[in-house]
C-alpha cells in the first residue's frame, strides 16, 4: 500500500515536471522559430506577421518532437535531483525500497511520453509540416527572384516517344501538384530538345496540367503559354509515394504508405526508417531516463561534482547524435532500417541498466 502511494506520488512529480518542461521548451522554440521565419521570409510577397505566427504554430509540433529525447533526459535528472535534495529518496531507501522499484514510475512516465509522441504528437507534426509548406508556397507567389535554392525531387517519365525529366521546387497535395516545375524533354539520342518552366504542374488522369509555362528550345526565342497539357503514363498513387517526404506522413499512415511504395517498386528505406524510429521512441526515452538516473542518484548521496551531471547530459547528447546519424544511414540504405533504429536504443538501454546495477547492487 505504501509503495503504491509512493509510486503515484513519484509519477505525479514526473508528469508535473514534464508538463513544465514542455511549456518552457515550446515557448522558447516558438520565439526562436518565429524569429528565424521572419528573418528568412519577411521579404516574400505574401508574408505577414500574423501569417508568420500561424506558420510557427503549425511547425511547433515538429520542433517539439525533435526535442522530446532531451526533455526526457532533463526531466529525469530534475525530478531525481529534487527528490534527493529533499531527502525523499533517502527515506525511500530506508524503507527498504530498491532503486529498481522506485524507478518504475519514472520509467512508466517516459514510456507514456514516448507513446504519446508516437501516436499523437507525430501525426500532428506531419500535418503541421504539410501546412507550413503550403503557407510558404502561397507567400512566395510568382516572385522567383526571392526564392531559395530549390531542392528538386526529380521524376522521369517515358510515354511513347516522349522522354521527360520532371522536377519542382515544392510539392503539394501529396506530391500531385508541383510548384515551380521544370520539365526537360529529350529526343531518342538523349539530346535536350525542349525545356518547360511552369508555375504549377497538376497531375490529372493521364496528363500534366501546366500553368504559366515558358518553353525554351535550343536556338529559339522563349515562348510563353498560359497553359499546356502534357501526356503522361504516371499514376497519382505512384507520384504520391515517390515525392512525399517521410516527415509529412503520420505514424498511422506509414505502414500503408510502405506497402503502397513496395507495390510500385519504389525504395521504402526512408519510410521504414521513419516508422521504426517512431516505434522505438518510447524505449529511447526510457534509455534517456536510465542515463539520467545513473548520474542523478549517485550525485547527492556521494557529493559528487557538477561534472557528473554534465557527463550525463553529454551522454544523452551523444546517444541522440548517434541515433540521428544511424537513422540517416538507414534512410539512405547503407544500414538496414530496423538495425539503424533499434540497435542504438537497445545498446543504450543495456548500458544504462548495467551502470545502475553496478552502482546500486555492486
Amino acid at each position: 500500500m505504501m509503495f503504491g502511494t509512493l509510486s503515484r506520488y513519484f509519477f505525479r512529480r514526473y508528469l508535473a515536471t514534464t508538463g513544465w518542461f514542455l511549456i518552457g521548451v515550446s515557448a522558447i522554440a516558438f520565439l526562436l522559430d518565429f524569429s528565424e521565419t521572419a528573418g528568412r521570409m519577411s521579404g516574400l510577397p505574401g508574408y505577414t506577421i500574423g501569417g508568420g505566427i500561424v506558420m510557427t504554430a503549425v511547425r511547433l509540433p515538429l520542433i517539439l518532437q525533435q526535442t522530446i529525447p532531451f526533455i526526457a533526459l532533463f526531466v529525469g535528472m530534475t525530478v531525481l535531483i529534487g527528490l534527493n535534495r529533499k531527502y525523499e529518496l533517502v527515506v525511500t531507501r530506508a524503507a527498504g525500497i530498491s532503486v529498481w522499484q522506485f524507478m518504475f514510475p519514472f520509467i512508466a512516465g517516459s514510456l507514456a511520453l514516448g507513446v504519446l509522441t508516437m501516436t499523437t504528437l507525430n501525426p500532428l507534426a506531419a500535418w503541421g509540416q504539410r501546412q507550413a509548406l503550403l503557407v510558404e508556397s502561397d507567400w512566395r507567389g510568382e516572385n522567383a527572384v526571392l526564392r531559395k535554392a530549390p531542392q528538386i525531387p526529380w521524376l522521369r517519365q517515358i510515354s511513347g516517344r516522349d522522354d521527360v525529366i520532371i522536377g519542382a521546387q515544392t510539392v503539394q497535395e501529396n506530391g500531385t501538384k508541383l510548384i515551380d516545375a521544370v520539365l526537360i524533354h529529350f529526343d531518342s539520342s538523349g539530346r535536350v530538345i525542349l525545356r518547360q518552366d511552369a508555375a504549377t504542374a497538376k497531375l490529372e488522369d493521364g496528363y500534366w496540367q501546366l500553368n504559366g509555362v515558358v518553353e525554351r528550345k535550343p536556338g529559339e526565342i522563349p515562348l510563353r503559354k498560359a497553359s499546356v497539357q502534357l501526356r503522361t503514363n504516371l499514376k497519382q498513387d505512384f507520384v504520391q509515394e515517390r515525392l512525399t517526404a517521410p516527415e509529412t506522413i503520420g505514424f498511422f499512415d506509414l505502414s500503408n504508405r510502405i506497402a503502397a511504395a513496395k507495390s510500385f517498386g519504389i525504395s521504402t528505406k526512408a519510410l521504414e526508417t521513419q516508422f521504426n524510429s517512431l516505434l522505438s521512441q518510447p524505449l529511447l526515452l526510457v534509455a534517456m531516463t536510465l542515463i539520467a538516473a545513473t548520474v542523478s542518484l549517485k550525485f547527492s548521496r556521494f557529493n559528487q561534482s557538477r561534472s557528473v551531471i554534465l557527463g550525463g547530459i553529454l551522454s544523452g547528447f551523444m546517444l541522440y547524435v548517434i541515433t540521428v546519424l544511424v537513422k540517416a544511414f538507414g534512410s539512405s540504405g547503407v544500414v538496414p532500417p530496423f538495425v539503424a533504429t533499434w540497435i542504438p536504443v537497445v545498446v543504450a538501454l543495456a548500458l544504462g541498466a548495467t551502470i545502475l546495477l553496478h552502482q546500486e547492487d555492486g
Side-chain angles (χ1 to χ4, degrees):
M1 182 67 179
M2 183 190 71
F3 178 62
T5 303
L6 187 65
S7 295
R8 289 193 294 271
Y9 170 70
F10 284 167
F11 188 72
R12 288 196 300 269
R13 286 285 297 270
Y14 185 90
L15 291 182
T17 306
T18 301
W20 284 112
F21 265 90
L22 288 173
I23 293 173
V25 171
S26 297
I28 294 172
F30 186 91
L31 292 174
L32 292 177
D33 189 68
F34 176 74
S35 300
E36 190 273 338
T37 299
R40 182 165 56 91
M41 300 184 181
S42 58
L44 298 179
Y47 176 82
T48 62
I49 294 178
I53 293 175
V54 171
M55 171 177 266
T56 302
V58 298
R59 278 174 45 85
L60 190 60
L62 179 64
I63 301 171
L64 198 60
Q65 176 183 290
Q66 296 170 344
T67 64
I68 286 295
F70 289 105
I71 290 177
L73 175 67
F74 286 112
V75 166
M77 295 177 65
T78 301
V79 174
L80 291 172
I81 291 174
L83 293 174
N84 253 333
R85 288 180 176 175
K86 292 182 179 180
Y87 299 103
E88 290 172 293
L89 290 187
V90 176
V91 174
T92 300
R93 292 172 186 274
I97 299 175
S98 71
V99 65
W100 305 107
Q101 290 177 305
F102 70 70
M103 278 298 298
F104 177 78
F106 307 116
I107 293 175
S110 59
L111 271 174
L113 179 61
V115 171
L116 285 175
T117 301
M118 177 178 65
T119 59
T120 304
L121 185 60
N122 173 258
L124 189 60
W127 174 84
Q129 181 69 358
R130 294 195 299 269
Q131 298 307 308
L133 292 174
L134 289 174
V135 171
E136 182 176 352
S137 176
D138 291 339
W139 286 350
R140 293 186 182 280
E142 300 299 327
N143 195 334
V145 176
L146 295 175
R147 295 179 181 176
K148 61 182 179 182
Q151 298 178 354
I152 300 177
W154 293 102
L155 284 173
R156 183 174 183 176
Q157 69 170 44
I158 300 177
S159 178
R161 295 183 179 181
D162 296 330
D163 186 357
V164 186
I165 292 180
I166 304 172
Q169 177 172 322
T170 308
V171 296
Q172 296 180 1
E173 299 178 12
N174 290 326
T176 59
K177 184 177 181 181
L178 310 181
I179 307 300
D180 285 344
V182 179
L183 300 90
I184 302 176
H185 300 248
F186 299 88
D187 61 13
S188 57
S189 61
R191 292 177 299 181
V192 177
I193 58 174
L194 173 65
R195 169 172 172 155
Q196 293 175 309
D197 294 272
T200 62
K202 182 73 169 65
L203 180 61
E204 304 292 351
D205 188 13
Y207 65 94
W208 287 97
Q209 178 65 46
L210 311 180
N211 297 312
V213 185
V214 178
E215 295 186 345
R216 296 179 175 87
K217 294 182 179 180
E220 298 184 13
I221 298 175
L223 180 63
R224 295 183 178 273
K225 296 182 179 180
S227 63
V228 174
Q229 289 188 356
L230 176 66
R231 183 179 60 180
T232 182
N233 55 7
L234 297 177
K235 301 299 182 182
Q236 291 188 357
D237 291 343
F238 172 82
V239 175
Q240 287 176 358
E241 301 304 327
R242 178 69 177 82
L243 295 183
T244 305
E247 293 76 15
T248 61
I249 304 174
F251 172 74
F252 296 106
D253 296 327
L254 275 170
S255 57
N256 292 332
R257 300 300 287 268
I258 291 172
K262 286 182 178 178
S263 68
F264 289 114
I266 301 172
S267 174
T268 60
K269 299 297 184 184
L271 293 173
E272 290 180 30
T273 301
Q274 177 73 357
F275 179 75
N276 282 281
S277 176
L278 291 172
L279 208 58
S280 65
Q281 185 87 334
L283 291 183
L284 175 63
L285 301 192
V286 171
M288 288 292 189
T289 302
L290 291 178
I291 290 174
T294 60
V295 297
S296 303
L297 294 178
K298 200 173 181 179
F299 170 76
S300 181
R301 294 172 62 205
F302 295 95
N303 195 28
Q304 293 186 1
S305 65
R306 291 185 177 88
S307 61
V308 177
I309 295 181
L310 180 60
I313 296 174
L314 291 177
S315 298
F317 179 76
M318 287 300 299
L319 172 59
Y320 179 78
V321 170
I322 291 172
T323 302
V324 173
L325 184 62
V326 179
K327 181 181 176 181
F329 289 153
S331 298
S332 61
V334 176
V335 180
F338 183 84
V339 174
T341 52
W342 285 98
I343 291 299
V345 176
V346 172
V347 170
L349 278 172
L351 186 60
T354 302
I355 294 175
L356 265 184
L357 187 65
H358 175 73
Q359 288 180 349
E360 301 298 325
D361 300 331

